[in-house]
């Protein structure tokens, strides 16, 4: 298994295929695949504040070395918790991602997290 893989004891999680594809695109740095998974009017909320999707993805998610390790899921894979690292050397963040889908695409994602102490 490589850093690009979603590290889980059960590789079928997240169980929702759209959410699973979202994290696979994040972990492989595939901007094209990631944008194809989003509706044209997708809303991104990070720590309570709405963000512009593409600049945030480029700056925080698709930075070389960015990675999400999915730890758990709820609501049929639409709510996922895990650890996120925004690039090489970045401090890991424990977070929760809540997805809303429309026609098999992500229409909204809310992300909240906190820095891990001692990391």
């Amino acid at each position: 298994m490589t850093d690009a893989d979603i590290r889980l004891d059960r590789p079928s999680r997240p169980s929702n295929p759209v959410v699973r594809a979202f994290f696979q695109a994040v972990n492989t740095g595939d901007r094209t695949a990631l944008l194809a998974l989003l509706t044209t009017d997708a809303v991104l909320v990070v720590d309570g504040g709405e963000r512009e999707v593409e600049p945030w993805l480029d700056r925080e998610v698709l930075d070389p070395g960015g990675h999400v390790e999915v730890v758990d899921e709820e609501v049929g894979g639409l709510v996922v918790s895990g650890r996120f690292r925004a690039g090489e050397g970045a401090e890991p963040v424990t977070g929760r991602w809540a997805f809303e889908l429309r026609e098999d695409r992500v229409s909204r994602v809310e992300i909240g997290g906190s820095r891990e102490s001692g990391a």
Side-chain angles (χ1 to χ4, degrees):
M1 184 173 292
T2 68
D3 269 350
D5 295 322
I6 296 175
R7 294 183 217 158
L8 291 173
D9 56 348
R10 295 185 302 178
S12 61
R13 286 188 13 201
S15 59
N16 183 285
V18 175
V19 175
R20 185 170 54 247
F22 179 92
F23 286 115
Q24 288 170 338
V26 167
N27 287 345
T28 59
D30 190 339
R31 186 179 198 277
T32 301
L34 193 52
L35 291 175
L37 290 166
L38 303 173
T39 61
T40 57
D41 61 345
V43 174
L44 171 68
V45 178
V46 179
D47 294 328
E50 195 167 311
R51 306 285 173 88
E52 290 185 48
V53 175
E54 288 191 50
W56 184 83
L57 289 174
D58 290 338
R59 183 180 63 252
E60 299 288 335
V61 176
L62 297 173
D63 185 3
H67 183 80
V68 176
E69 179 183 353
V70 177
V71 175
D72 200 7
E73 70 169 47
E74 303 171 37
V75 195
L78 293 176
V79 177
V80 175
S81 60
R83 287 180 288 280
F84 173 66
R85 181 184 70 235
E88 292 296 330
E91 188 175 334
V93 176
T94 299
R96 177 181 180 274
W97 292 260
F99 293 85
E100 292 180 19
L101 305 181
R102 184 173 61 229
E103 298 176 8
D104 293 327
R105 293 174 72 196
V106 176
S107 60
R108 180 181 181 92
V109 60
E110 292 189 34
I111 304 167
S114 60
R115 299 274 177 223
E116 293 184 1
S117 61

